[in-house]
Amino acid sequence: MTETRVADRQRIRDLILGYCRGVDRLDLDLVRAAYHPGGVDHHTGFDGPVEEYVPWLGRVLPRLDGTMHLVANHLVEFNGPRAVSETYGLAVHWGSPADDPALNFTSGFRYVDRLECRDGRWGIVERHAIREFTHSDAQRRVPAPAVGGSRNPGDPVFVQLARLRAGSAGW
Amino acid sequence: MTETRVADRQRIRDLILGYCRGVDRLDLDLVRAAYHPGGVDHHTGFDGPVEEYVPWLGRVLPRLDGTMHLVANHLVEFNGPRAVSETYGLAVHWGSPADDPALNFTSGFRYVDRLECRDGRWGIVERHAIREFTHSDAQRRVPAPAVGGSRNPGDPVFVQLARLRAGSAGW
Amino acid sequence: MTETRVADRQRIRDLILGYCRGVDRLDLDLVRAAYHPGGVDHHTGFDGPVEEYVPWLGRVLPRLDGTMHLVANHLVEFNGPRAVSETYGLAVHWGSPADDPALNFTSGFRYVDRLECRDGRWGIVERHAIREFTHSDAQRRVPAPAVGGSRNPGDPVFVQLARLRAGSAGW
């Protein structure tokens, strides 16, 4: 493994984590940025190109109060400007009412992605999103936390990134 | 920390993730590849060398319908060609019937590994697999997913890796 | 992204994982080492500088039998010697009696950290610990594992690290 491939690994991992941040914060531009144009997604409940997948997400995600896509294992194999990446993760979903198992569940997923580097940018050309198991959280919900995240620019991560980019002395 | 150690970290992490892929896909060669010959495993229900551990896994894993070993934290400390690695993770197990707590549970594990680099290849020489907690999933199972993984070469990750390695124009 | 930033990423990730090891093993020096002096923590139930946060942790953690802070997604953005890091994770808590939901629960967290590199060392200057969801584990606990971790120097990770550092031939 060369040092360059360490950097490529990091870029591909960042792309996948950016996708998750986009879904969880409902920032659809971040979701779209993970794919090359025409990239295909095979998902539970959806099958088609990113140009249709992102609007579909925009319709179904607001039915939930929130999601958290926790990314664990990440293995990548390269062949020149092509790569196959396998990502393991947990997708936690919550909604109202809290005892509805269709809105409150955790699934174990694997993303098997075909990726290409075009003009120096890695992107997904095809994703298989495999669901390994689904567990209901309906009987497990504990009342709302003291400090929760949000799906708008007021979330702490966006506030702090804006301060970082501004480079203000008093950041 | 030197750049080389960044690459060594990556190699050790890949070795551990390869072990997990091997267990979850029931690909015992991948499991074996994580150890040096004679490497010892201290596990719940097993204690001995990899040459006995792998056949033992081959007997117990088929009793389950599936497993998912999600790897989180990974810290490594080096001393020349030796390293100690601590890996945090969740091991999700599922089986039939779905309400049997002996077949449907999640455990939090830590792998504390002693590793050596021999002839340029890192491998485990001793593993302590520590179980931190065990939670029953028996009352949480939701019916089978639309798209599940498999334990044979038809799993999407192996199909896509075969295409990548073949380097076909129409991959 | 330069190679150096790959190494900086690794250093920041190590710092966060060291924090988690410190909390889970009740090693408060490791917790403190993640912050610069005066670094501020905004946490459920606590708000103030690290000099007060660490003693507070030292009072509340022993009420539990154990914790496991599993770190998943980690995204970092840099601006010279400053960085903003977002970490996703699961915090699993267990205590006695096992059916008490106040002692047995899992929360999904995000750490949004402002970090600075001072004299070659990265440290947190401000942390927002956001709790995304909380799930009770009270009805899920399965009796104690065969091999568990500990909060003292006898834990396998500390035993193996001591052997590594000693560099003994018979490690």
Side-chain angles (χ1 to χ4, degrees):
Chain A
M1 182 196 310
T2 65
E3 291 309 289
T4 306
R5 298 269 105 164
V6 167
D8 277 342
R9 293 274 209 119
Q10 185 68 67
R11 289 184 189 105
I12 290 173
R13 188 169 174 88
D14 278 0
L15 170 164
I16 290 163
L17 299 185
Y19 169 91
C20 294
R21 178 185 277 174
V23 172
D24 294 342
R25 302 273 75 72
L26 208 43
D27 181 330
L28 297 181
D29 289 340
L30 271 178
V31 174
R32 192 179 293 109
Y35 298 82
H36 281 307
V40 172
D41 205 280
H42 308 289
H43 217 95
T44 307
F46 179 87
D47 211 292
V50 62
E51 288 77 6
E52 297 172 19
Y53 176 59
V54 168
W56 177 79
L57 273 181
R59 286 192 300 273
V60 300
L61 285 174
R63 296 177 197 163
L64 297 160
D65 292 339
T67 59
M68 192 171 191
H69 286 73
L70 294 132
V71 165
N73 314 28
H74 186 227
L75 280 168
V76 189
E77 186 169 319
F78 293 93
N79 189 346
R82 295 167 179 170
V84 169
S85 150
E86 182 187 47
T87 306
Y88 275 38
L90 293 176
V92 185
H93 309 73
W94 58 93
S96 305
D99 61 354
D100 182 346
L103 298 174
N104 296 278
F105 63 97
T106 296
S107 54
F109 64 79
R110 287 189 296 135
Y111 296 148
V112 177
D113 294 329
R114 288 197 301 124
L115 299 119
E116 291 183 2
C117 189
R118 299 178 184 169
D119 300 325
R121 190 179 79 78
W122 284 95
I124 298 169
V125 297
E126 186 177 19
R127 162 167 292 182
H128 288 83
I130 302 159
R131 199 183 274 204
E132 295 282 344
F133 61 84
T134 305
H135 289 156
S136 171
D137 295 320
Q139 307 307 322
R140 299 181 62 208
R141 294 286 307 283
V142 170
V147 185
S150 77
R151 281 163 153 180
N152 60 54
D155 185 86
V157 73
F158 295 127
V159 171
Q160 300 297 3
L161 285 173
R163 291 171 71 183
L164 178 77
R165 291 165 187 163
S168 59
W171 89 302
Chain B
M1 180 195 310
T2 64
E3 291 309 289
T4 306
R5 299 268 105 165
V6 167
D8 277 342
R9 294 273 208 117
Q10 185 69 65
R11 288 183 189 105
I12 291 173
R13 188 169 174 89
D14 277 359
L15 171 163
I16 290 163
L17 298 185
Y19 168 92
C20 294
R21 178 185 278 174
V23 172
D24 294 340
R25 303 273 75 72
L26 208 44
D27 181 331
L28 297 180
D29 289 340
L30 270 178
V31 174
R32 191 180 294 107
Y35 298 82
H36 281 308
V40 172
D41 204 282
H42 308 289
H43 216 95
T44 307
F46 178 87
D47 211 293
V50 62
E51 289 78 7
E52 297 172 19
Y53 176 59
V54 169
W56 177 79
L57 272 182
R59 287 191 299 273
V60 300
L61 286 175
R63 295 177 198 163
L64 297 160
D65 292 337
T67 59
M68 192 170 190
H69 286 72
L70 293 132
V71 164
N73 313 28
H74 186 226
L75 280 168
V76 189
E77 186 169 319
F78 293 93
N79 189 346
R82 294 167 180 170
V84 170
S85 151
E86 182 187 47
T87 306
Y88 274 38
L90 292 177
V92 185
H93 309 72
W94 58 95
S96 304
D99 61 354
D100 182 345
L103 298 174
N104 295 278
F105 62 97
T106 296
S107 54
F109 64 80
R110 285 189 298 134
Y111 297 147
V112 176
D113 295 328
R114 288 198 300 125
L115 299 120
E116 292 183 3
C117 189
R118 298 178 184 167
D119 300 325
R121 190 179 78 79
W122 285 96
I124 298 168
V125 297
E126 186 178 19
R127 162 167 292 182
H128 287 84
I130 302 158
R131 200 183 273 204
E132 295 283 342
F133 61 84
T134 305
H135 288 156
S136 171
D137 295 320
Q139 307 308 322
R140 299 182 62 208
R141 294 287 305 284
V142 170
V147 186
S150 77
R151 281 163 154 180
N152 61 53
D155 186 85
V157 73
F158 295 128
V159 171
Q160 300 296 3
L161 285 173
R163 292 171 71 183
L164 179 77
R165 290 165 188 162
S168 57
W171 89 302
Chain C
M1 181 196 309
T2 64
E3 291 308 288
T4 306
R5 299 269 103 163
V6 167
D8 278 342
R9 293 272 209 119
Q10 185 68 65
R11 289 184 188 104
I12 291 174
R13 188 169 173 90
D14 278 359
L15 170 164
I16 290 164
L17 298 184
Y19 168 91
C20 294
R21 179 185 277 173
V23 172
D24 293 341
R25 303 272 76 71
L26 209 44
D27 182 330
L28 297 181
D29 290 340
L30 270 179
V31 174
R32 192 179 293 107
Y35 298 81
H36 282 308
V40 172
D41 204 281
H42 308 289
H43 217 94
T44 306
F46 179 87
D47 211 292
V50 62
E51 289 77 7
E52 297 172 18
Y53 176 58
V54 169
W56 176 79
L57 273 181
R59 287 192 299 274
V60 300
L61 286 175
R63 296 177 198 164
L64 297 160
D65 293 338
T67 59
M68 191 170 192
H69 286 72
L70 293 131
V71 164
N73 314 29
H74 185 227
L75 280 168
V76 189
E77 186 170 319
F78 293 93
N79 189 345
R82 296 167 178 168
V84 169
S85 150
E86 182 187 47
T87 306
Y88 275 38
L90 293 176
V92 186
H93 309 73
W94 58 94
S96 304
D99 61 355
D100 183 345
L103 298 175
N104 296 278
F105 63 97
T106 296
S107 54
F109 64 79
R110 286 189 297 136
Y111 296 148
V112 176
D113 295 329
R114 287 198 303 125
L115 299 119
E116 291 183 2
C117 188
R118 299 178 184 169
D119 300 325
R121 191 179 77 78
W122 285 95
I124 298 168
V125 297
E126 186 178 18
R127 162 167 291 183
H128 287 84
I130 301 158
R131 200 183 274 203
E132 294 283 343
F133 62 85
T134 305
H135 288 156
S136 171
D137 295 320
Q139 307 308 322
R140 299 182 61 208
R141 294 287 305 283
V142 170
V147 185
S150 77
R151 281 163 153 180
N152 60 54
D155 185 87
V157 73
F158 295 127
V159 171
Q160 300 296 3
L161 285 173
R163 292 170 72 184
L164 179 78
R165 290 165 189 163
S168 58
W171 89 302

